[in-house]
Amino acid sequence: MDPVDGAIAVSIVAVTIGGVAIIGMFSRALLQKWTQAKPALEPGEAEELRHAITRLGAEVADVQERLDFTERVLASQRERQQLEGGN
């Protein structure tokens, strides 16, 4: 075996081992980051979220009432037009 071929083979093995080691360290760091426990909500944050959900529920109810009213107005207009011989 030519000494240059031996050096190339050793270089390839060294680069491969180094690449595997770097990928291994990177993988372990990602795994550690992904598996860490997420911090729990602060007590104030949980209460704030509850209030926000309550407000959103009230807003949805208000929008639903407005939609119902609009549907009734449109239905009554259609009925009037039909009675008058319109469209």
Side-chain angles (χ1 to χ4, degrees):
M1 181 188 241
D2 188 20
V4 174
D5 290 340
I8 290 174
V10 169
S11 297
I12 289 173
V13 169
V15 168
T16 302
I17 291 172
V20 168
I22 290 172
I23 290 172
M25 289 187 302
F26 183 71
S27 298
R28 279 191 295 277
L30 279 178
L31 183 63
Q32 183 180 11
K33 179 180 178 182
W34 290 340
T35 57
Q36 284 179 345
K38 303 290 185 238
L41 291 176
E42 298 292 324
E45 286 179 308
E47 192 61 31
E48 185 177 324
L49 287 172
R50 284 187 190 98
H51 287 299
I53 290 171
T54 302
R55 284 191 310 265
L56 285 173
E59 288 178 20
V60 167
D62 183 49
V63 168
Q64 185 63 45
E65 287 177 23
R66 291 174 184 216
L67 177 63
D68 291 344
F69 175 77
T70 304
E71 288 174 341
R72 285 192 305 271
V73 168
L74 290 173
S76 68
Q77 285 177 354
R78 272 188 240 119
E79 287 175 3
R80 250 187 256 126
Q81 287 176 353
Q82 287 176 352
L83 290 175
E84 295 171 357
N87 298 337

